[in-house]
Amino acid sequence: MAQPLNFVLNVPETPEDHGSQEPSPCDESEVHDSFHQLIQEQSQWVAEEGLELQQREPGAGGQETSGSGQQALPGPEDGLMHSTATLRILASMPSRTIGRSRGAVICQYYNRSVRLRRRVSRPELKGVGRSARPSLRLYDLELDPAALQEEEKRFLLVKELQGLPVAQRDHMLRGMPLGLAEKRCLREESQTPTGKQRGRQGPRGLFPCCGRLRDACVLALHSLGLGLLAGLHALRPWRYALKQIGGQFGSSVLSYFLFLKTLLAFNALLLLPLLAFIVGVQAAFPPPAPLGSARSFTGLELLTGGGRFTHTVMYYGYYSNSTLNQPCAPPPAGGQCSREAAGLPYSMPLAYLFTVGLAFFITCITLVYSMSRSFGESYRVGSTSGVHAVTVFCSWDHKVTQRRASRLQHDNIRTHLKELLAEWQRRRGSQSACGRLRRGAMRGLVWLLSLGTTLGCTVAVYAFSELMIKSPVSAEQEGALLALPVVVGLLNLGAPYLFRCLAALERHDSPVLEVYVAVCRNLILKMVILGILCYHWLGRRVGTLKDQCWENFVGQELYRLVVLDFIFVLLDTLFGELVWRLISEKQLKRREKPEFDIAGNVLELIYGQTLTWLGVVFTPLLPAIQIVKLLLVFYVKKTSLMANCQAPRRPWLASHMSTVFVSLLCFPSFLGAALFLCFAVWRVKPSSTCGPFRSLDSMYEAGKVWVRHLEEAGPRVSWLPWVHRYLVENTFPVYLVSALLLAVIYLHIQVVKGQRRVICLLKEQISNEGEDKVFLINKLHSVYERKERSRRGEVW
């Protein structure tokens, strides 16, 4: 067998070496020459080893082919023993010689550096007289070519550094592979006399005391800024909690909190244009308050949303239907502003319509981008055959030094291994045909019961809404307005528990499938209830509230639903997790805690976000209320999870869970809210007593009125009516854009399919290449065995 090269740094020390400094590797030409020489030596050695494949003379290698020369190398199937020549060929492969070449290069460079250090060192001055020592030292420095070359290079480097700006000079010195003392010397030598004098006096010609005071102030301000940034960083609810949740409860529970974080970002993105172009502008130019609008604050408004909150920027009815800025003052003698003086005024109806449309468009683009990115991250084409070994040997971060962080990373790795092993065991499980048929029948029955429960809840909501229409509530009885939201909240709270009891009869083998089924049932329930409520608002309430501001009523209904949804979430957390844990530990004497209901909690988030999107037109500040609600829910759920819940009994890997949640948020939730608002904008007549569209037949007519004003404004803005006429009112561009979008999506799907097919072919080719290598090694082994047997026969 070919013996690997051993590079031992055996460089004996000499008395001349003590006290001398090792020169830095600045001569790159010699280093590259040594690399080239060493590569040639390695190539020649490999070529000499390749001569072992030729026919050798009898008796030339008797020692090598003996029993002791055979070494065990596990074969592909039957674990054959390879000969010494075969092992030499394997040892000469590039993948096995690259490490030795690197080691040889490093060691040879080190030996050359040591020899250069010995050559340029000064001779001993023991036998030299005192009067001759200075001249000998000077003589030695002048005659040594290496020292002169080193000094010349140093001088050129200093000259080059002097020609650079201070910042670039410091950056270059910082990146040089030199010691700190050497860098400090180079920095001092490269400073110009003016810079040195300025350094003594301080920046801008100040004295040293003033310079130190200024530096202290700068450092104090810098420390204060870093402290403020650290404080803002600590205020984020997901700073440390997400890692802790993922380490203790796994990726399944972590997906809920990641989804909550995503909803926070969506609401913040929706709130910013509303605050900038609607709420802020109307607050700067408040309309005159109507008579009898000043009411005392009773505290019930926090639940009902009415009372003192009715005539505020929170609701649609507060906003005016006129221009908020006057481009010019009317003449004293009467008359109108001239066309030259009149510009484009800030029309509140137009700003209201376009801002809401722009906010929804930005949300749609962001949502589609998030969904596509989530699909790209979760549905990657890759093999999971070695993921267990990668997790065991490559998951630890060696930069972690704190005990708390190391414990957290340890929990993360352990939980991830549990999920991987549980997923592997579920894939290996099998089930008989009779068992599958029995479970299929049971699941069908459970689905029928779940759909019946959903139908009963829908009928109950419809009947109660009709009852509320037939018996209207007066303005003094604001508490009675909470009846319909309370009924809806109770149904949304109780039906998921019934679904969980029915799901226990199904006995799903996969926890992922169990969560998906629960999500589908809860989603159907909540979407049907919201559909009944939308019909109740736009189909029934608009007709009964003719002389009133029905937009304010719809906004208050949505506000009450959001607030009561938060209250029922708190009640669910209190009685469903805390009280159940106390009963289980105190009364039942069990150590088992309840598990975190991922499906129910995620559907609560989607339901609340749908309410927010439905109420943007009628309550512009509803996204701000949703942000506060999500922050409180995050802290409440995180505290309850750590104190009252346990990790899932059956660990499972939530690789596609975030993608499913974002997809559900996009298609049933956002698409349904967009259809509801489009119907309200295009088909429903606004109230004639309040709001920015009180004098129009529909909210969409505000755009037509704006176009007519633009046509009268002059030729400077004549292109805007053309854009509105041919790109907004005309349906052909909409169909064209839709067709192009569908074509792009289809082409993208085909490209992804082609890439997957190519990846599968490449994997198959890699597998065939491995089999070819195993086949060739076995053939070489058999050939050398025959040659060894024939050689032994000739010798015998």
Side-chain angles (χ1 to χ4, degrees):
M1 179 179 178
Q3 299 294 331
L5 296 179
N6 296 325
F7 300 98
V8 180
L9 302 178
N10 188 10
V11 183
E13 292 287 340
T14 61
E16 302 171 354
D17 298 335
H18 297 287
S20 60
Q21 297 182 356
E22 183 178 351
S24 60
C26 60
D27 195 353
E28 298 183 0
S29 61
E30 295 184 2
V31 175
H32 290 301
D33 292 341
S34 63
F35 286 179
H36 181 66
Q37 179 182 357
L38 183 59
I39 292 172
Q40 288 182 350
E41 292 175 0
Q42 293 293 317
S43 303
Q44 184 179 1
W45 179 81
V46 173
E48 291 176 357
E49 289 292 330
L51 296 177
E52 297 291 336
L53 294 174
Q54 300 177 1
Q55 181 69 32
R56 290 183 288 186
E57 294 297 329
Q63 297 290 337
E64 297 177 0
T65 57
S66 60
S68 61
Q70 297 285 343
Q71 299 204 8
L73 186 65
E77 297 177 355
D78 51 354
L80 298 176
M81 307 289 290
H82 296 312
S83 64
T84 305
T86 304
L87 293 176
R88 286 186 178 181
I89 295 172
L90 293 175
S92 301
M93 294 173 66
S95 61
R96 304 195 180 189
T97 58
I98 183 170
R100 294 186 305 210
S101 299
R102 287 181 180 175
V105 166
I106 294 172
C107 295
Q108 183 172 354
Y109 174 71
Y110 183 81
N111 293 331
R112 291 172 63 90
S113 300
V114 171
R115 289 197 298 268
L116 180 62
R117 184 186 64 184
R118 290 178 178 175
R119 190 179 64 195
V120 302
S121 61
R122 300 188 185 96
E124 295 184 359
L125 303 178
K126 294 181 180 180
V128 183
R130 295 182 180 269
S131 61
R133 285 184 185 179
S135 61
L136 283 176
R137 187 178 289 114
L138 182 60
Y139 180 76
D140 174 56
L141 291 175
E142 290 177 355
L143 292 182
D144 195 349
L148 291 176
Q149 188 177 5
E150 185 76 18
E151 189 67 25
E152 183 180 358
K153 289 183 178 180
R154 184 183 181 87
F155 177 75
L156 293 176
L157 179 60
V158 170
K159 293 293 290 183
E160 182 180 357
L161 291 174
Q162 287 179 353
L164 297 176
V166 178
Q168 189 174 358
R169 182 194 310 163
D170 294 341
H171 179 73
M172 182 176 290
L173 285 172
R174 199 177 295 113
M176 288 184 179
L178 300 175
L180 291 177
E182 188 72 17
K183 290 181 181 180
R184 191 178 296 110
C185 293
L186 287 174
R187 183 181 289 109
E188 292 177 358
E189 294 179 4
S190 59
Q191 287 182 353
T192 58
T194 306
K196 293 180 181 179
Q197 185 67 22
R198 186 180 302 160
R200 296 190 190 98
Q201 294 182 357
R204 299 182 181 179
L206 300 176
F207 291 100
C209 58
C210 300
R212 286 194 295 270
L213 179 61
R214 173 188 170 277
D215 294 340
C217 295
V218 170
L219 289 176
L221 292 176
H222 187 262
S223 301
L224 179 61
L226 291 178
L228 292 177
L229 290 177
L232 293 176
H233 187 69
L235 288 177
R236 294 189 304 174
W238 52 85
R239 178 175 178 264
Y240 178 75
L242 294 180
K243 295 182 180 179
Q244 189 177 5
I245 292 169
Q248 296 185 13
F249 298 91
S251 58
S252 56
V253 180
L254 180 63
S255 61
Y256 166 79
F257 291 92
L258 291 176
F259 184 61
L260 194 150
K261 173 186 171 183
T262 304
L263 291 183
L264 278 172
F266 281 133
N267 284 280
L269 191 64
L270 180 64
L271 181 63
L272 288 177
L274 297 176
L275 287 178
F277 299 103
I278 297 180
V279 179
V281 176
Q282 188 64 68
F285 300 92
L291 298 177
S293 60
R295 299 181 182 180
S296 60
F297 183 76
T298 60
L300 190 61
E301 292 89 346
L302 296 176
L303 293 178
T304 62
R308 194 175 181 85
F309 291 158
T310 303
H311 300 284
T312 59
V313 292
M314 182 178 292
Y315 295 112
Y316 165 90
Y318 180 80
Y319 296 89
S320 62
N321 63 337
S322 60
T323 58
L324 300 183
N325 57 337
Q326 295 294 332
C328 67
Q336 297 181 354
C337 298
S338 61
R339 181 168 297 181
E340 289 78 7
L344 291 178
Y346 194 90
S347 175
M348 179 51 67
L350 191 64
Y352 202 98
L353 181 64
F354 281 177
T355 303
V356 172
L358 179 63
F360 260 77
F361 180 74
I362 294 174
T363 304
C364 179
I365 295 298
T366 309
L367 192 58
V368 172
Y369 173 75
S370 301
M371 185 174 61
S372 61
R373 183 179 179 182
S374 182
F375 267 103
E377 292 179 354
S378 59
Y379 291 95
R380 289 174 179 168
V381 181
S383 177
T384 59
S385 58
V387 67
H388 300 83
V390 172
T391 305
V392 171
F393 296 105
C394 303
S395 295
W396 188 260
D397 188 1
H398 294 277
K399 295 182 292 184
V400 176
T401 57
Q402 297 180 358
R403 179 173 298 180
R404 184 183 181 185
S406 62
R407 188 184 300 112
L408 183 61
Q409 190 170 6
H410 174 268
D411 294 339
N412 278 322
I413 296 173
R414 181 185 59 188
T415 307
H416 187 57
L417 283 174
K418 287 182 180 180
E419 293 173 351
L420 290 175
L421 292 175
E423 189 73 20
W424 178 67
Q425 290 177 358
R426 280 191 292 270
R427 290 178 181 177
R428 296 186 60 185
S430 59
Q431 191 178 2
S432 61
C434 183
R436 293 178 182 175
L437 183 62
R438 190 185 304 110
R439 290 194 176 184
M442 181 59 68
R443 291 170 185 174
L445 179 61
V446 170
W447 267 105
L448 288 177
L449 293 176
S450 301
L451 293 178
T453 303
T454 302
L455 181 61
C457 294
T458 305
V459 172
V461 172
Y462 178 76
F464 198 82
S465 63
E466 291 293 326
L467 181 62
M468 293 292 293
I469 292 176
K470 292 179 181 179
S471 57
V473 180
S474 61
E476 289 78 12
Q477 300 175 347
E478 292 185 0
L481 296 173
L482 297 172
L484 182 60
V486 167
V487 170
V488 173
L490 287 175
L491 293 176
N492 286 329
L493 180 64
Y497 281 99
L498 180 59
F499 292 158
R500 292 176 65 180
C501 295
L502 293 175
L505 303 175
E506 294 177 326
R507 297 179 181 179
H508 290 285
D509 296 331
S510 174
V512 183
L513 181 61
E514 185 177 352
V515 172
Y516 287 163
V517 170
V519 166
C520 290
R521 290 169 182 167
N522 289 304
L523 185 66
I524 292 173
L525 172 67
K526 295 182 184 299
M527 291 300 111
V528 171
I529 290 177
L530 285 177
I532 294 297
L533 290 177
C534 292
Y535 170 75
H536 168 70
W537 293 327
L538 296 185
R540 302 287 293 165
R541 281 294 183 179
V542 173
T544 57
L545 299 174
K546 293 182 180 180
D547 298 333
Q548 302 178 17
C549 187
W550 64 267
E551 291 92 350
N552 278 3
F553 177 81
V554 174
Q556 292 173 4
E557 284 279 318
L558 288 165
Y559 173 85
R560 288 191 283 267
L561 286 172
V562 170
V563 173
L564 288 179
D565 177 66
F566 173 68
I567 294 175
F568 280 108
V569 167
L570 296 181
L571 293 177
D572 183 25
T573 305
L574 177 64
F575 292 99
E577 296 176 0
L578 177 60
V579 176
W580 177 249
R581 179 182 69 86
L582 295 177
I583 293 175
S584 178
E585 290 181 353
K586 303 298 182 181
Q587 300 296 331
L588 302 179
K589 303 299 181 181
R590 296 179 181 177
R591 294 184 178 180
E592 294 182 356
K593 297 180 180 180
E595 294 186 11
F596 189 78
D597 185 14
I598 301 173
N601 286 284
V602 167
L603 263 298
E604 288 295 334
L605 293 180
I606 295 178
Y607 172 74
Q609 188 60 38
T610 308
L611 292 176
T612 303
W613 283 331
L614 290 174
V616 166
V617 172
F618 311 106
T619 311
L621 287 180
L622 197 59
I625 300 172
Q626 179 70 3
I627 289 175
V628 176
K629 171 192 168 184
L630 290 176
L631 289 174
L632 295 175
V633 167
F634 184 92
Y635 285 108
V636 169
K637 287 294 182 181
K638 183 247 180 183
T639 305
S640 177
L641 178 69
M642 295 298 178
N644 304 322
C645 298
Q646 66 175 2
R649 297 182 182 90
R650 295 186 298 170
W652 49 283
L653 187 63
S655 56
H656 309 315
M657 192 62 65
S658 299
T659 304
V660 173
F661 293 161
V662 175
S663 302
L664 294 177
L665 183 68
C666 180
F667 290 108
S669 177
F670 181 79
L671 184 61
L675 292 176
F676 172 79
L677 293 181
C678 288
F679 181 79
V681 168
W682 263 277
R683 303 290 298 175
V684 182
K685 180 178 175 58
S687 300
S688 58
T689 57
C690 65
F693 308 102
R694 66 189 70 178
S695 60
L696 302 175
D697 294 333
S698 64
M699 298 182 185
Y700 178 70
E701 284 194 2
K704 296 182 179 180
V705 174
W706 175 64
V707 169
R708 288 196 294 268
H709 285 295
L710 289 177
E711 290 177 351
E712 298 174 358
R716 293 179 299 174
V717 291
S718 59
W719 58 275
L720 288 175
W722 182 88
V723 169
H724 184 271
R725 185 180 301 111
Y726 290 100
L727 297 182
V728 178
E729 293 183 354
N730 194 3
T731 58
F732 177 75
V734 178
Y735 292 145
L736 179 62
V737 172
S738 302
L740 291 177
L741 182 61
L742 292 176
V744 169
I745 293 174
Y746 176 76
L747 291 176
H748 180 70
I749 293 174
Q750 294 299 321
V751 168
V752 170
K753 287 184 178 180
Q755 291 176 352
R756 290 184 177 181
R757 192 176 296 111
V758 169
I759 289 173
C760 293
L761 292 176
L762 290 175
K763 287 182 179 180
E764 185 178 356
Q765 184 177 356
I766 291 172
S767 178
N768 294 333
E769 291 289 339
E771 294 178 359
D772 292 342
K773 290 179 181 180
V774 172
F775 173 77
L776 290 175
I777 290 176
N778 290 332
K779 285 296 183 181
L780 285 174
H781 179 69
S782 60
V783 168
Y784 276 106
E785 279 188 346
R786 289 197 299 270
K787 288 185 178 182
E788 291 295 334
R789 284 197 297 268
S790 61
R791 185 185 59 78
R792 290 176 182 176
E794 293 177 0
V795 171
W796 180 256

